[in-house]
Amino acid sequence: MEDEMFEQLMYVLNQLVTWIAAGAMVFGGVVPYIPQYRDIRRTQNAEGFSTYVCLVLLVANILRILFRFGRYFETPLMWQSIVMIATMLIMLNLCTNVRVATELQTKRRSFTATDSKDEEIKVPKKFFLDFDWSHFWSWSRFVDYLQCVVAFTLLAAYVTYLLLDSSVFVESLGFLAVFTEAMLGTPQLYCNYQNKSTEGMSIKMVMMWTSGDTFKTGYFLLTEAPVQFWTCGLLQVGVDIAILFQVYYYSRYPQKPVSHTVSHTTSTKAL
């Protein structure tokens, strides 16, 4: 009798741990973006966050969902991708609105300085349907990003449908999905190197990246996820550590004055 109760208790505890771990996998990836989102809204400055991080995560998670049609993996990982896609679209919407407002204010200050008050203030518009690669992923409206994401999804889904019977294609698709996500921190890494500073980047976010990626890699190993998942997870942890080293290095050895101009491609990722 006691043995039965003990077994039932262990079963309940096991199920509870499983549900908690699954919930952490699904929603834990978006947690690092909460402080970054709040910082951008509070300061109305998106220069410390690279929208290319959103691009990488959108591509990686769309490909991961398509990979599941060819090779089954844990359902929480699929839901994690869906939640992350929605989160990245929210971040893109905020960054686009803030950037356009900032450009307009800059133009107004310029017109005021030159006493051109009578002229209409115009900010150059950049649209996805212009198909101008020099403006790729730096468009003026959120709907343009949405059009690009939908176009990529439809194209990738069509190619996947045609080649779904090819094991080489399916395995390559899975590797491409997780490898793209593993490279997520590289835009931030390069941005910090280019700016010689980590100003505008949320350190809390990077700390959450590191802890989240460590947990995620362990989860992949314990659930025996496809080899592509945990190998690229280890690579992600390595990139996170490199960014944390930049935080230490640039704070200890400042390379430039605090007030500086940051390019649009500045940056900041998934569990």
Side-chain angles (χ1 to χ4, degrees):
M1 187 68 177
E2 289 183 359
D3 289 343
E4 270 187 40
M5 289 183 63
F6 179 75
E7 287 181 6
Q8 287 181 356
L9 179 62
M10 291 303 297
Y11 174 78
V12 171
L13 288 175
N14 182 60
Q15 287 294 104
L16 183 62
V17 170
T18 301
W19 277 99
I20 292 174
M25 283 299 300
V26 173
F27 298 104
V30 306
V31 172
Y33 295 97
I34 295 175
Q36 187 70 64
Y37 183 89
R38 294 178 64 184
D39 285 346
I40 293 174
R41 286 204 63 175
R42 177 176 53 83
T43 63
Q44 288 297 295
N45 186 345
E47 290 181 343
F49 180 82
S50 174
T51 54
Y52 284 100
V53 169
C54 299
L55 173 62
V56 171
L57 275 176
L58 286 167
V59 170
N61 284 282
I62 290 169
L63 293 180
R64 186 197 284 185
I65 291 173
L66 294 175
F67 174 55
R68 195 173 190 268
F69 288 98
R71 182 172 177 183
Y72 177 83
F73 55 80
E74 293 261 322
T75 302
L77 296 179
M78 184 189 69
W79 280 107
Q80 181 206 33
S81 294
I82 294 172
V83 171
M84 184 56 66
I85 289 171
T87 302
M88 289 303 100
L89 292 176
I90 292 171
M91 290 295 295
L92 272 175
N93 186 34
L94 175 65
C95 291
T96 304
N97 292 337
V98 169
R99 189 181 72 249
V100 170
T102 301
E103 290 176 356
L104 185 59
Q105 289 175 1
T106 302
K107 285 281 185 181
R108 282 174 176 165
R109 285 196 295 268
S110 175
F111 272 66
T112 301
T114 56
D115 294 329
S116 303
K117 298 178 182 178
D118 294 330
E119 298 182 29
E120 184 181 356
I121 300 174
K122 293 183 180 180
V123 177
K125 299 290 184 180
K126 294 167 280 189
F127 305 115
F128 167 67
L129 294 179
D130 290 339
F131 299 110
D132 186 347
W133 285 102
S134 63
H135 295 149
F136 178 77
W137 213 250
S138 59
W139 300 302
S140 304
R141 305 174 306 171
F142 170 67
V143 69
D144 292 291
Y145 293 95
L146 208 54
Q147 289 171 350
C148 180
V149 171
V150 171
F152 172 78
T153 303
L154 292 176
L155 177 61
Y158 179 68
V159 173
T160 302
Y161 173 76
L162 293 178
L163 302 175
L164 199 56
D165 293 332
S166 170
S167 59
V168 174
F169 171 79
V170 171
E171 295 300 324
S172 300
L173 181 65
F175 176 78
L176 183 61
V178 290
F179 181 75
T180 302
E181 185 176 346
M183 292 292 99
L184 175 63
T186 53
Q188 184 68 60
L189 192 70
Y190 176 73
C191 170
N192 294 341
Y193 171 76
Q194 191 177 43
N195 297 326
K196 305 299 181 185
S197 170
T198 57
E199 183 186 353
M201 181 193 73
S202 173
I203 298 175
K204 290 180 183 178
M205 182 190 67
V206 180
M207 293 292 291
M208 291 179 182
W209 281 2
T210 308
S211 58
D213 289 337
T214 303
F215 170 81
K216 176 178 66 177
T217 304
Y219 182 87
F220 289 158
L221 290 168
L222 290 174
T223 57
E224 298 182 351
V227 65
Q228 299 101 318
F229 282 71
W230 60 264
T231 52
C232 291
L234 291 173
L235 179 59
Q236 262 182 298
V237 174
V239 174
D240 296 341
I241 293 173
I243 295 175
L244 289 175
F245 175 76
Q246 285 182 320
V247 174
Y248 164 78
Y249 182 82
Y250 290 131
S251 62
R252 188 173 180 84
Y253 306 104
Q255 304 292 304
K256 62 190 299 186
V258 175
S259 57
H260 61 281
T261 303
V262 189
S263 64
H264 165 60
T265 59
T266 48
S267 124
T268 194
K269 158 182 165 186
L271 191 62

